[in-house]
Amino acid sequence: MEGYGVDEAVIALKLKDASNWWHDINESTLWQDRIFHILAALYGLVAAVALVQLIRIQLRVPEYGWTTQKVFHFLNFLVNGVRGLVFVFRRDVQNLHPEIVQHILLDMPSLAFFTTYALLVLFWAEIYYQARAVSTDGLRPSFFTINAVVYTIQIGMWLILWWKYIPVLVVLSKVFFAGVSLFAALGFLLYGGRLFLMLQRFPVESKGRRKKLQEVGYVTTICFLCFLVRCIMMCFNAFDKAADLDVLNHPVLNLIYYLLVEILPSSLVLFILRKLPPKRGITQYHPIR
């Protein structure tokens, strides 16, 4: 029985040390700055990759204008670039008043991130319905309508909070974005899954079938998990102060969250979709419009 008491004391001591480690880093100004600068550098790197890819595509096929592929890379550059700047000046952002300005600067890139990856859902939906000889005329208006509704509701809540700070509305804003993230996750599961199953039914000898199958499968899985984790974390963020991402003294949580829901997914998707359109004169190119 004495041995069990010693073991329990050792475990309790280790848990206390782990708790102290977490607390010390979170409360350290030096570690806060280090972690936020690491996040800024990672976002800057992803933004640079997206910009380089956009330039390479434009140089390869300049005659096609702003296709969905180009818009996707441009939005990736914009979202990651703005997010990187926010983390560079994170301490200044935290001191902005009224407080709603902080929420806007922290949450607007998340809305743009939703729009960026909703483009992939739109593109896959168009491919799926075209392959089944179903009209796609309503898809793009639906895409713009959904985005307009999401932005209107979120901006409306920001304006109310600007006029009068209501704590319940802050919680509601976070819950709303959790719902938007769940909607995006289900969109990837629905259309990514449908396209994956459709490609599986293609003849084995179809050119590019296996590569396209892997591409759709990987991107669907990554984006579904990304938005699902964002949904869960936003729910915790809304109701648990210990999971608040909008404060300076939770840098470790910020590092884990933004790595999982933005930096890592964006990096993997950009890598998977790195293929350039063929050079002119080699083969016909059908742009992602």
Side-chain angles (χ1 to χ4, degrees), residues 213-251:
L213 193 66
Q214 290 177 339
E215 179 183 296
V216 172
Y218 289 150
V219 173
T220 297
T221 303
I222 291 166
C223 292
F224 170 73
L225 291 175
C226 153
F227 281 102
L228 185 62
V229 170
R230 184 189 285 272
C231 172
I232 294 169
M233 283 299 298
M234 287 303 296
C235 288
F236 280 110
N237 185 19
F239 298 106
D240 188 352
K241 285 292 182 183
D244 193 351
L245 296 162
D246 298 339
V247 293
L248 285 172
N249 60 346
H250 288 165

Side-chain angles (χ1 to χ4, degrees), residues 2-223:
E2 185 178 349
Y4 282 112
V6 173
D7 290 342
E8 290 172 357
V10 170
I11 292 171
L13 183 61
K14 288 182 178 179
L15 289 173
K16 184 179 179 181
D17 288 341
S19 176
N20 289 338
W21 169 84
W22 179 275
H23 179 77
D24 290 344
I25 289 181
N26 280 336
E27 297 300 326
S28 167
T29 301
L30 178 63
W31 273 106
Q32 288 171 9
D33 290 339
R34 282 178 177 174
I35 289 175
F36 290 138
H37 288 157
I38 287 171
L39 283 170
L42 291 173
Y43 274 114
L45 181 61
V46 177
V49 170
L51 180 61
V52 168
Q53 188 70 349
L54 173 62
I55 293 171
R56 292 176 70 200
I57 294 171
Q58 177 61 23
L59 292 175
R60 183 69 70 93
V61 283
E63 68 274 17
Y64 281 109
W66 282 97
T67 62
T68 302
Q69 188 179 27
K70 292 179 183 178
V71 173
F72 174 75
H73 285 92
F74 174 73
L75 287 177
N76 260 302
F77 162 70
L78 195 64
V79 169
N80 288 282
V82 170
R83 186 73 86 185
L85 288 174
V86 169
F87 278 114
V88 167
F89 301 104
R90 186 67 176 83
R91 203 165 289 281
D92 296 320
V93 169
Q94 193 69 32
N95 293 325
L96 289 174
H97 292 285
E99 188 176 333
I100 186 57
V101 178
Q102 302 173 25
H103 291 290
I104 292 173
L105 288 174
L106 291 170
D107 293 342
M108 184 56 81
S110 298
L111 284 176
F113 186 86
F114 163 77
T115 300
T116 302
Y117 284 86
L119 275 173
L120 282 180
V121 178
L122 171 65
F123 175 56
W124 286 348
E126 288 179 333
I127 292 177
Y128 175 76
Y129 287 124
Q130 285 171 0
R132 296 175 64 88
V134 177
S135 174
T136 61
D137 293 343
L139 289 178
R140 287 182 179 252
S142 298
F143 169 80
F144 289 117
T145 300
I146 290 169
N147 276 272
V149 169
V150 169
Y151 279 77
T152 300
I153 293 174
Q154 185 62 72
I155 291 171
M157 286 191 282
W158 285 338
L159 290 174
I160 294 172
L161 287 167
W162 197 312
W163 170 65
K164 183 179 181 180
Y165 188 81
I166 306 172
V168 174
L169 197 57
V170 175
V171 174
L172 186 61
S173 176
K174 294 177 179 180
V175 171
F176 170 72
F177 197 76
V180 170
S181 299
L182 180 60
F183 178 75
L186 294 176
F188 273 103
L189 193 62
L190 177 63
Y191 287 107
R194 282 180 170 183
L195 188 58
F196 182 84
L197 293 174
M198 185 182 72
L199 289 170
Q200 271 191 327
R201 291 194 293 269
F202 280 13
V204 176
E205 63 274 9
S206 294
K207 186 178 180 181
R209 169 189 176 274
R210 183 175 180 181
K211 188 172 183 181
K212 183 59 67 175
L213 193 66
Q214 290 177 339
E215 179 183 296
V216 172
Y218 289 150
V219 173
T220 297
T221 303
I222 291 166
C223 292

